Amino acid sequence: MKLARYGAPGAERPALVDNHGVLRDLSGVVSDIDGSLLASAEFDRLRSLDASTLPAAPVGSRIGPCIAGVGKFICVGLNYADHAKETGKEPPAEPILFMKATSAIIGPNDDVEIPKGSEKADWEVELGIVIGRRAKYVSEAKALDHVAGYCLVNDVSERAFQSERGGQWTKGKSHDTFGPIGPWLVSRDEIADPQNLDLWLDVDGVRRQTGNTKTMIFGVGFLVHYISQFMTLEPGDIIATGTPPGVGLGHKPPVFLRAGQTMRLGITGLGEQQQHTITARD
């Protein structure tokens, strides 16, 4: 099952993606795609809907963030062995966690701002875990029972803000528009093995990142288990699980984003995104 949200920013409507890739309006069935839906029996009942009975969304509609009202946007740093190597750092002994402001969340094809004073804006294609059931002190064996599904994330970053302005990663990760998610929330049952998904990202048509989730240091189940030891995960929370090699910082010499460029990225089974970069607005 693939769920999406479409319409103008702040006025998105819930939708289901049918077998032909057509967006079908769900607003007559559910109020939104959010944590309260994911935690309810209604989420599972959506699978039994006859999509052909639902109205089609207008062709060309903007696709919004696939989850509304995200409470926590948790990110994992240096979680791919090959990415850690390209940064010259040792693979971490435990997951490196940081938060991304939820105000950074945008739709998968919305414009990404290059912040004022930015010198090192960068890209990161990532697998996003969407929590469906409250998770506190869960075992690794039961961790996936708390996952509603997965989504594509571009963890856009500003490396100078991240690492050269006092060592606070969050300030380099949280600029408005630095969190494109979607196009879809894909239910967990549709992803047979989250540890064998291809990821890729292009900038201006040049392939910059190619990877597979099998090189993650800490897998999906372990991350949900581990994070739940430190904070309660609530339905609708998102965990961005790290990025494969090929980020701008890892190139020799480094290559960073500027206004007027295009990022295109995707993950097997989770769809694609495309963003144009623009100068930050006031």
Side-chain angles (χ1 to χ4, degrees):
M1 179 171 63
K2 296 180 177 70
L3 300 178
R5 300 171 68 248
Y6 75 95
E12 292 92 349
R13 300 165 69 95
L16 181 150
V17 184
D18 71 15
N19 292 333
H20 303 287
V22 176
L23 280 180
R24 299 285 183 167
D25 191 296
L26 278 174
S27 56
V29 181
V30 298
S31 60
D32 211 341
I33 310 299
D34 57 13
S36 62
L37 173 69
L38 302 183
S40 71
E42 190 66 31
F43 177 65
D44 291 324
R45 284 197 290 267
L46 291 177
R47 293 185 178 86
S48 63
L49 285 178
D50 180 355
S52 66
T53 66
L54 300 171
V59 175
S61 295
R62 168 188 174 267
I63 305 300
C66 58
I67 303 293
V70 174
K72 292 191 288 296
F73 199 160
I74 305 158
C75 300
V76 184
L78 298 177
N79 194 34
Y80 282 69
D82 35 12
H83 172 54
K85 181 178 180 180
E86 76 173 346
T87 66
K89 297 179 181 178
E90 291 294 320
E94 293 189 39
I96 297 170
L97 304 181
F98 60 93
M99 307 294 280
K100 194 178 190 84
T102 57
S103 55
I105 292 173
I106 57 170
N109 304 315
D110 292 344
D111 291 339
V112 166
E113 293 185 350
I114 304 300
K116 293 182 179 181
S118 171
E119 300 173 352
K120 300 178 180 180
D122 208 344
W123 54 82
E124 293 190 17
V125 58
E126 305 200 8
L127 170 66
I129 305 168
V130 181
I131 299 299
R133 288 175 48 202
R134 185 176 183 270
K136 183 175 183 179
Y137 297 125
V138 299
S139 67
E140 185 175 0
K142 294 185 179 297
L144 291 185
D145 294 340
H146 297 261
V147 174
Y150 305 96
C151 67
L152 173 60
V153 175
N154 189 354
D155 178 20
V156 186
S157 311
E158 212 300 335
R159 303 300 186 188
F161 295 178
Q162 176 182 346
S163 301
E164 301 169 23
R165 300 288 297 274
Q168 299 296 318
W169 282 23
T170 299
K171 70 177 71 167
K173 299 283 188 170
S174 295
H175 181 79
D176 297 347
T177 76
F178 270 22
I181 62 171
W184 316 312
L185 162 61
V186 180
S187 57
R188 179 166 55 94
D189 59 293
E190 286 208 11
I191 303 300
D193 183 3
Q195 302 309 149
N196 188 22
L197 301 175
D198 291 325
L199 309 87
W200 57 271
L201 183 145
D202 296 345
V203 179
D204 292 339
V206 177
R207 182 59 46 93
R208 293 298 189 180
Q209 285 189 276
T210 303
N212 187 285
T213 55
K214 65 187 177 185
T215 69
M216 286 169 61
I217 299 168
F218 306 105
V220 168
F222 182 82
L223 288 174
V224 173
H225 150 71
Y226 180 86
I227 295 169
S228 78
Q229 311 305 304
F230 301 95
M231 66 190 82
T232 300
L233 296 170
E234 300 287 355
D237 286 350
I238 296 174
I239 303 169
T241 57
T243 198
V247 299
L249 182 66
H251 287 271
K252 302 186 186 312
V255 180
F256 296 116
L257 293 167
R258 61 186 186 279
Q261 295 189 287
T262 300
M263 292 179 282
R264 185 166 167 261
L265 57 149
I267 298 179
T268 305
L270 300 183
E272 297 183 6
Q273 300 181 356
Q274 180 169 294
Q275 300 104 26
H276 300 292
T277 55
I278 62 173
T279 301
R281 307 180 182 94
D282 289 337

